[in-house]
Amino acid sequence: MRRAICVGCGACVALDASGRSAMERTATGPKPVFAPGTALPELAWDACPGKGIDYPQLYLDHYGRMPDSWLVGHIVATRTGYAGDPSVRARGASGGVTTAVLLHLLQSGRIDAAIVARQGVPAPLEASPVIASTAEEILDAAQSVYIPVAMLDILSRLEPGKRYAITLVPEQAAALRRLQHSGHPQAQQIDYVLGPYTGTALYPAAIDSFVRAHGVAKSDPVTSLEWRAGEWPGYLEIKTQSGKVLRSKKVYYNFLIPFFVTRASLQSMDFANEFCDLSVGDAWSPAFEAQGGGHSVVVTRSAKMEALVEEMIAAGALVLEREDDLKATEMHGHMIDFKKRGGFIRNQWRRKIGLAAPDYGMEPATIPPSRKIAELVISTLFVIGSTAPARFVLRQIPESVIGPVFNKLRLSWKKASKPTKRKGLADFRMIVDEE
Ligand SMILES: Cc1cc2nc3c(=O)[nH]c(=O)nc-3n(C[C@H](O)[C@H](O)[C@H](O)COP(=O)(O)OP(=O)(O)OC[C@H]3O[C@@H](n4cnc5c(N)ncnc54)[C@H](O)[C@@H]3O)c2cc1C
Ligand code: SF4
């Protein structure tokens, strides 16, 4: 395993039978550290999302066929809505649907516990997977965690005989399915996989930069951090020991993305979390945004999850309306393109200059030249943003200035590049690489 390819999922550490390996926290997220002489099984390589998982093979193994939609994967049903319990809805990142489903799984006895990501464990600026076996613990883990979390590391700590649900980002969900289909016993204890639509995550250094830019001294440590506090779409809220409270609207702290976006975000070609039983994203639409309160787009991908969601709708635990599958993709056209075409172009360019990049065993059938030009602009911004001088300059600009300015620039770029980015998206398809 080479760190250059690692996206910090934790699967290889869980597969070390000696139990001497561990995930280590670094400025670029969790990375595995192997004890000298560690011998990992071949499966650790097959399931490593950093080197890339063979998606066409996994579609066949898991769904028995190639996806219905090359944009968002296999779909049983697409809906929009929110959790029926207003307090669950208010605590969730978008509509609280993920938390509501986890609670229902636990309370109906279908699982013994849910494995969730929790910001603040073991320290306020860190995040870890936790095994939540009570409703309170599931509720405490609501919201999105936008830094990398080594979720699969926890597989080695599952109790024999117990059944679990888990929340995973796309590359981790694919890795888990690879393990399940290869007969890995702990992976097979997981009966339900839920996960967010995943655009971009940030390196942990983003928080330090944000806090310093707000004039917080190193001697005044952060005591709590919430990524999506308050009313949807929410704001980043950071509290420090001296009592300072920093708040930044979600649309404003997006300015951290070009400076601290993770390599995994740039390399993944899966936005809609295609190997989950339930994938959930923000339902961005002018109508929902005007209503407020929190709205999710919710995709079921397995018959058992669909049955569960129908049961919850009937009981009033979820308030969801059916949507047309293709129409619903319009809410996230920009990010779908960022992953499906952008991810492929970036990986191809990385390989051309001798850098490691994952191979997913498939490629877009066509990419218009104008899309490659747009990618040149985006990638140049990311390369410049990731340098130390650019991050230094960022720390000097007050967030009250850069937040709104970046948001305006982002919206203008989105508008200008929309024709290029949406062109050909409706008929988008992948071709499977031949060995
Ligand atoms: C890194 C990241 C990027 C995202 N990008 C987009 C985007 O571009 N567009 C979009 O529409 N939506 C995006 N989302 C999804 C969105 O933020 C919400 O997570 C989603 O809508 C689910 O909302 P909810 O109210 O159902 O979740 P909640 O009810 O709040 O439950 C969320 C559950 O997911 C778990 N969880 C949170 N973060 C992680 C994580 N990093 N790894 C594993 N489990 C986690 C929590 O522990 C909790 O159990 C992203 C989420 C993440 C984590
Ligand atoms: S991506 Fe996951 S499996 Fe691959 S090296 Fe990193 S932690 Fe290990």
Side-chain angles (χ1 to χ4, degrees):
M1 296 291 171
R2 287 175 295 141
R3 283 196 165 195
I5 61 165
C6 180
V7 293
C9 74
C12 53
V13 163
L15 287 171
D16 174 11
S18 76
R20 292 178 307 150
S21 305
M23 294 303 285
E24 177 188 73
R25 289 173 203 280
T26 75
T28 55
K31 294 285 180 293
V33 179
F34 302 108
T38 301
L40 292 176
E42 188 66 26
L43 182 54
W45 182 247
D46 288 345
C48 171
K51 73 109 179 57
I53 289 174
D54 185 337
Y55 267 60
Q57 188 58 53
L58 195 57
Y59 288 131
L60 293 178
D61 290 347
H62 191 62
Y63 294 108
R65 61 188 199 280
M66 292 299 163
D68 311 321
S69 159
W70 284 105
L71 297 177
V72 288
H74 283 266
I75 297 174
V76 176
T78 306
R79 297 179 173 88
T80 50
Y82 43 86
D85 179 337
S87 67
V88 174
R89 185 182 184 190
R91 289 191 56 176
S94 51
V97 171
T98 312
T99 298
V101 172
L102 293 175
L103 287 171
H104 188 72
L105 286 169
L106 185 74
Q107 285 158 352
S108 61
R110 287 171 169 99
I111 55 167
D112 296 294
I115 304 161
V116 285
R118 180 108 196 251
Q119 181 69 45
V121 176
L125 292 183
E126 294 170 2
S128 304
V130 296
I131 299 180
S133 50
T134 65
E136 288 68 34
E137 286 169 336
I138 290 176
L139 280 165
D140 286 345
Q143 287 208 9
S144 302
V145 177
Y146 289 121
I147 52 173
V149 192
M151 295 298 292
L152 297 177
D153 177 14
I154 208 151
L155 289 180
S156 57
R157 284 180 270 152
L158 302 189
E159 281 185 53
K162 289 202 168 173
R163 312 305 308 171
Y164 298 88
I166 194 168
T167 59
L168 297 172
V169 292
E171 61 273 14
Q172 298 169 343
L176 178 79
R177 295 306 191 192
R178 183 71 281 143
L179 295 178
Q180 289 181 326
H181 288 288
S182 306
H184 183 262
Q186 282 82 27
Q188 290 183 336
Q189 284 178 254
I190 295 180
D191 287 342
Y192 297 90
V193 183
L194 292 82
Y197 278 21
T198 307
T200 49
L202 299 169
Y203 285 133
I207 302 302
D208 192 58
S209 173
F210 182 84
V211 168
R212 300 291 155 253
H214 279 78
V216 176
K218 276 200 189 287
S219 55
D220 184 11
V222 170
T223 51
S224 77
L225 183 156
E226 279 188 77
W227 291 99
R228 303 275 299 254
E231 169 101 1
W232 182 70
Y235 46 82
L236 173 66
E237 183 180 87
I238 295 176
K239 294 183 180 160
T240 73
Q241 199 170 57
S242 70
K244 278 195 178 140
V245 181
L246 314 180
R247 287 203 182 105
S248 176
K249 282 189 192 172
K250 176 157 170 41
V251 287
Y252 287 175
Y253 72 84
N254 278 338
F255 72 82
L256 292 167
I257 294 170
F259 298 89
F260 296 101
V261 64
T262 63
R263 187 164 46 77
S265 311
L266 298 176
Q267 295 182 182
S268 167
M269 286 173 66
D270 179 357
F271 168 68
N273 224 331
E274 298 180 29
F275 289 98
C276 286
D277 296 295
L278 188 81
S279 310
V280 185
D282 287 278
W284 301 125
S285 85
F288 291 146
E289 286 165 50
Q291 281 175 36
H295 297 260
S296 301
V297 55
V298 181
V299 171
T300 55
R301 303 190 190 277
S302 63
K304 74 175 175 188
M305 182 53 80
E306 175 60 19
L308 186 93
V309 165
E310 284 173 8
E311 177 184 312
M312 290 182 69
I313 294 171
L318 291 176
V319 180
L320 295 175
E321 295 282 331
R322 276 299 280 265
E323 299 281 346
D324 176 76
D325 297 336
L326 185 63
K327 188 110 189 60
T329 63
E330 288 172 12
M331 282 189 263
H332 300 95
H334 205 71
M335 260 305 158
I336 293 170
D337 166 77
F338 181 79
K339 296 287 178 177
K340 292 289 174 183
R341 294 197 290 213
F344 176 77
I345 300 170
R346 290 186 290 273
N347 288 337
Q348 200 181 41
W349 286 352
R350 279 181 71 89
R351 276 192 285 276
K352 277 198 178 140
I353 58 170
L355 295 174
D359 181 354
Y360 298 113
M362 58 186 186
E363 56 186 271
T366 52
I367 301 183
S370 55
R371 177 62 187 87
K372 292 194 177 170
I373 294 167
E375 190 52 50
L376 198 60
V377 177
I378 301 167
S379 290
T380 304
L381 196 68
F382 288 143
V383 170
I384 295 172
S386 66
T387 60
R391 289 179 179 179
F392 173 80
V393 171
L394 174 72
R395 281 197 298 276
Q396 316 311 310
I397 309 172
E399 190 244 336
S400 55
V401 173
I402 192 159
V405 169
F406 179 81
N407 195 38
K408 266 217 153 59
L409 285 174
R410 189 179 67 91
L411 295 177
S412 310
W413 164 252
K414 255 178 116 170
K415 202 171 165 196
S417 61
K418 194 170 173 178
T420 303
K421 293 187 150 189
R422 303 288 165 109
K423 195 171 157 191
L425 214 52
D427 315 315
F428 180 83
R429 62 184 184 87
M430 291 281 183
I431 44 176
V432 177
D433 292 344
E434 287 182 13
E435 282 301 305

PDB file of all heavy atoms in Angstrom, residues 70-71 326 341 365-366 422-430:
ATOM      1  N   TRP A  70     -26.066   5.970 -15.762  1.00  0.00           N
ATOM      2  CA  TRP A  70     -24.613   6.113 -15.602  1.00  0.00           C
ATOM      3  C   TRP A  70     -24.283   7.377 -14.822  1.00  0.00           C
ATOM      4  O   TRP A  70     -23.133   7.622 -14.466  1.00  0.00           O
ATOM      5  CB  TRP A  70     -23.929   6.131 -16.971  1.00  0.00           C
ATOM      6  CG  TRP A  70     -23.832   4.777 -17.606  1.00  0.00           C
ATOM      7  CD1 TRP A  70     -24.579   4.310 -18.645  1.00  0.00           C
ATOM      8  CD2 TRP A  70     -22.945   3.704 -17.228  1.00  0.00           C
ATOM      9  NE1 TRP A  70     -24.214   3.015 -18.945  1.00  0.00           N
ATOM     10  CE2 TRP A  70     -23.208   2.611 -18.098  1.00  0.00           C
ATOM     11  CE3 TRP A  70     -21.956   3.554 -16.253  1.00  0.00           C
ATOM     12  CZ2 TRP A  70     -22.516   1.402 -18.020  1.00  0.00           C
ATOM     13  CZ3 TRP A  70     -21.272   2.344 -16.179  1.00  0.00           C
ATOM     14  CH2 TRP A  70     -21.548   1.294 -17.042  1.00  0.00           C
ATOM     15  N   LEU A  71     -25.303   8.201 -14.553  1.00  0.00           N
ATOM     16  CA  LEU A  71     -25.049   9.431 -13.786  1.00  0.00           C
ATOM     17  C   LEU A  71     -25.113   9.175 -12.285  1.00  0.00           C
ATOM     18  O   LEU A  71     -24.278   9.661 -11.536  1.00  0.00           O
ATOM     19  CB  LEU A  71     -26.073  10.517 -14.148  1.00  0.00           C
ATOM     20  CG  LEU A  71     -26.060  11.020 -15.588  1.00  0.00           C
ATOM     21  CD1 LEU A  71     -27.171  12.035 -15.797  1.00  0.00           C
ATOM     22  CD2 LEU A  71     -24.712  11.629 -15.931  1.00  0.00           C
ATOM     23  N   LEU A 326     -34.567  10.974 -13.633  1.00  0.00           N
ATOM     24  CA  LEU A 326     -33.680  11.808 -14.444  1.00  0.00           C
ATOM     25  C   LEU A 326     -33.820  13.279 -14.076  1.00  0.00           C
ATOM     26  O   LEU A 326     -32.838  14.009 -13.951  1.00  0.00           O
ATOM     27  CB  LEU A 326     -33.962  11.586 -15.938  1.00  0.00           C
ATOM     28  CG  LEU A 326     -33.007  12.306 -16.883  1.00  0.00           C
ATOM     29  CD1 LEU A 326     -31.572  11.805 -16.707  1.00  0.00           C
ATOM     30  CD2 LEU A 326     -33.422  12.103 -18.340  1.00  0.00           C
ATOM     31  N   ARG A 341     -17.247  13.243 -15.375  1.00  0.00           N
ATOM     32  CA  ARG A 341     -16.333  13.611 -16.452  1.00  0.00           C
ATOM     33  C   ARG A 341     -15.070  14.248 -15.875  1.00  0.00           C
ATOM     34  O   ARG A 341     -13.958  13.897 -16.262  1.00  0.00           O
ATOM     35  CB  ARG A 341     -17.022  14.563 -17.434  1.00  0.00           C
ATOM     36  CG  ARG A 341     -18.161  13.862 -18.155  1.00  0.00           C
ATOM     37  CD  ARG A 341     -18.607  14.593 -19.399  1.00  0.00           C
ATOM     38  NE  ARG A 341     -19.294  15.824 -19.125  1.00  0.00           N
ATOM     39  CZ  ARG A 341     -20.289  16.308 -19.891  1.00  0.00           C
ATOM     40  NH1 ARG A 341     -20.691  15.633 -20.947  1.00  0.00           N
ATOM     41  NH2 ARG A 341     -20.865  17.449 -19.602  1.00  0.00           N
ATOM     42  N   ALA A 365     -17.992   7.679 -22.522  1.00  0.00           N
ATOM     43  CA  ALA A 365     -17.981   7.359 -23.954  1.00  0.00           C
ATOM     44  C   ALA A 365     -17.463   8.545 -24.755  1.00  0.00           C
ATOM     45  O   ALA A 365     -16.679   8.381 -25.691  1.00  0.00           O
ATOM     46  CB  ALA A 365     -19.381   6.964 -24.408  1.00  0.00           C
ATOM     47  N   THR A 366     -17.895   9.751 -24.389  1.00  0.00           N
ATOM     48  CA  THR A 366     -17.377  10.950 -25.078  1.00  0.00           C
ATOM     49  C   THR A 366     -17.207  12.077 -24.068  1.00  0.00           C
ATOM     50  O   THR A 366     -17.990  12.193 -23.120  1.00  0.00           O
ATOM     51  CB  THR A 366     -18.358  11.479 -26.159  1.00  0.00           C
ATOM     52  OG1 THR A 366     -19.642  11.635 -25.545  1.00  0.00           O
ATOM     53  CG2 THR A 366     -18.455  10.585 -27.363  1.00  0.00           C
ATOM     54  N   ARG A 422     -23.284  20.797 -18.801  1.00  0.00           N
ATOM     55  CA  ARG A 422     -24.504  19.988 -18.972  1.00  0.00           C
ATOM     56  C   ARG A 422     -24.570  19.327 -20.349  1.00  0.00           C
ATOM     57  O   ARG A 422     -25.339  18.402 -20.547  1.00  0.00           O
ATOM     58  CB  ARG A 422     -25.755  20.853 -18.775  1.00  0.00           C
ATOM     59  CG  ARG A 422     -25.822  21.561 -17.426  1.00  0.00           C
ATOM     60  CD  ARG A 422     -26.112  20.589 -16.298  1.00  0.00           C
ATOM     61  NE  ARG A 422     -25.835  21.192 -15.006  1.00  0.00           N
ATOM     62  CZ  ARG A 422     -26.760  21.548 -14.117  1.00  0.00           C
ATOM     63  NH1 ARG A 422     -28.016  21.329 -14.354  1.00  0.00           N
ATOM     64  NH2 ARG A 422     -26.421  22.077 -12.969  1.00  0.00           N
ATOM     65  N   LYS A 423     -23.732  19.864 -21.295  1.00  0.00           N
ATOM     66  CA  LYS A 423     -23.803  19.353 -22.662  1.00  0.00           C
ATOM     67  C   LYS A 423     -23.528  17.841 -22.679  1.00  0.00           C
ATOM     68  O   LYS A 423     -22.489  17.396 -22.184  1.00  0.00           O
ATOM     69  CB  LYS A 423     -22.758  20.075 -23.529  1.00  0.00           C
ATOM     70  CG  LYS A 423     -22.948  19.904 -25.003  1.00  0.00           C
ATOM     71  CD  LYS A 423     -22.000  20.831 -25.716  1.00  0.00           C
ATOM     72  CE  LYS A 423     -21.727  20.346 -27.112  1.00  0.00           C
ATOM     73  NZ  LYS A 423     -20.632  21.075 -27.728  1.00  0.00           N
ATOM     74  N   GLY A 424     -24.446  17.106 -23.219  1.00  0.00           N
ATOM     75  CA  GLY A 424     -24.247  15.662 -23.350  1.00  0.00           C
ATOM     76  C   GLY A 424     -24.503  14.889 -22.074  1.00  0.00           C
ATOM     77  O   GLY A 424     -24.373  13.665 -22.043  1.00  0.00           O
ATOM     78  N   LEU A 425     -24.878  15.574 -20.970  1.00  0.00           N
ATOM     79  CA  LEU A 425     -25.043  14.875 -19.692  1.00  0.00           C
ATOM     80  C   LEU A 425     -26.283  13.964 -19.702  1.00  0.00           C
ATOM     81  O   LEU A 425     -26.260  12.880 -19.117  1.00  0.00           O
ATOM     82  CB  LEU A 425     -25.121  15.895 -18.552  1.00  0.00           C
ATOM     83  CG  LEU A 425     -24.502  15.475 -17.225  1.00  0.00           C
ATOM     84  CD1 LEU A 425     -23.083  14.977 -17.394  1.00  0.00           C
ATOM     85  CD2 LEU A 425     -24.533  16.624 -16.229  1.00  0.00           C
ATOM     86  N   ALA A 426     -27.354  14.424 -20.392  1.00  0.00           N
ATOM     87  CA  ALA A 426     -28.588  13.627 -20.405  1.00  0.00           C
ATOM     88  C   ALA A 426     -28.358  12.258 -21.051  1.00  0.00           C
ATOM     89  O   ALA A 426     -28.953  11.270 -20.643  1.00  0.00           O
ATOM     90  CB  ALA A 426     -29.684  14.389 -21.136  1.00  0.00           C
ATOM     91  N   ASP A 427     -27.460  12.208 -22.071  1.00  0.00           N
ATOM     92  CA  ASP A 427     -27.211  10.919 -22.746  1.00  0.00           C
ATOM     93  C   ASP A 427     -25.895  10.308 -22.278  1.00  0.00           C
ATOM     94  O   ASP A 427     -25.307   9.471 -22.961  1.00  0.00           O
ATOM     95  CB  ASP A 427     -27.088  11.109 -24.277  1.00  0.00           C
ATOM     96  CG  ASP A 427     -28.156  12.008 -24.821  1.00  0.00           C
ATOM     97  OD1 ASP A 427     -29.296  11.804 -24.408  1.00  0.00           O
ATOM     98  OD2 ASP A 427     -27.834  12.908 -25.641  1.00  0.00           O
ATOM     99  N   PHE A 428     -25.416  10.760 -21.136  1.00  0.00           N
ATOM    100  CA  PHE A 428     -24.096  10.320 -20.680  1.00  0.00           C
ATOM    101  C   PHE A 428     -24.053   8.809 -20.480  1.00  0.00           C
ATOM    102  O   PHE A 428     -24.966   8.214 -19.907  1.00  0.00           O
ATOM    103  CB  PHE A 428     -23.769  11.010 -19.350  1.00  0.00           C
ATOM    104  CG  PHE A 428     -22.437  10.625 -18.787  1.00  0.00           C
ATOM    105  CD1 PHE A 428     -21.286  11.247 -19.234  1.00  0.00           C
ATOM    106  CD2 PHE A 428     -22.330   9.637 -17.820  1.00  0.00           C
ATOM    107  CE1 PHE A 428     -20.049  10.890 -18.721  1.00  0.00           C
ATOM    108  CE2 PHE A 428     -21.103   9.274 -17.307  1.00  0.00           C
ATOM    109  CZ  PHE A 428     -19.960   9.907 -17.755  1.00  0.00           C
ATOM    110  N   ARG A 429     -22.977   8.185 -20.977  1.00  0.00           N
ATOM    111  CA  ARG A 429     -22.791   6.767 -20.654  1.00  0.00           C
ATOM    112  C   ARG A 429     -21.305   6.452 -20.567  1.00  0.00           C
ATOM    113  O   ARG A 429     -20.463   7.184 -21.096  1.00  0.00           O
ATOM    114  CB  ARG A 429     -23.514   5.852 -21.651  1.00  0.00           C
ATOM    115  CG  ARG A 429     -23.050   5.953 -23.023  1.00  0.00           C
ATOM    116  CD  ARG A 429     -23.845   5.108 -24.010  1.00  0.00           C
ATOM    117  NE  ARG A 429     -23.171   5.258 -25.290  1.00  0.00           N
ATOM    118  CZ  ARG A 429     -22.161   4.516 -25.683  1.00  0.00           C
ATOM    119  NH1 ARG A 429     -21.729   3.521 -24.942  1.00  0.00           N
ATOM    120  NH2 ARG A 429     -21.563   4.737 -26.833  1.00  0.00           N
ATOM    121  N   MET A 430     -21.034   5.387 -19.867  1.00  0.00           N
ATOM    122  CA  MET A 430     -19.648   4.947 -19.698  1.00  0.00           C
ATOM    123  C   MET A 430     -19.378   3.787 -20.643  1.00  0.00           C
ATOM    124  O   MET A 430     -20.301   3.002 -20.943  1.00  0.00           O
ATOM    125  CB  MET A 430     -19.428   4.423 -18.275  1.00  0.00           C
ATOM    126  CG  MET A 430     -19.486   5.479 -17.209  1.00  0.00           C
ATOM    127  SD  MET A 430     -17.930   6.381 -17.163  1.00  0.00           S
ATOM    128  CE  MET A 430     -18.275   7.455 -15.778  1.00  0.00           C
TER     129      MET A 430
END
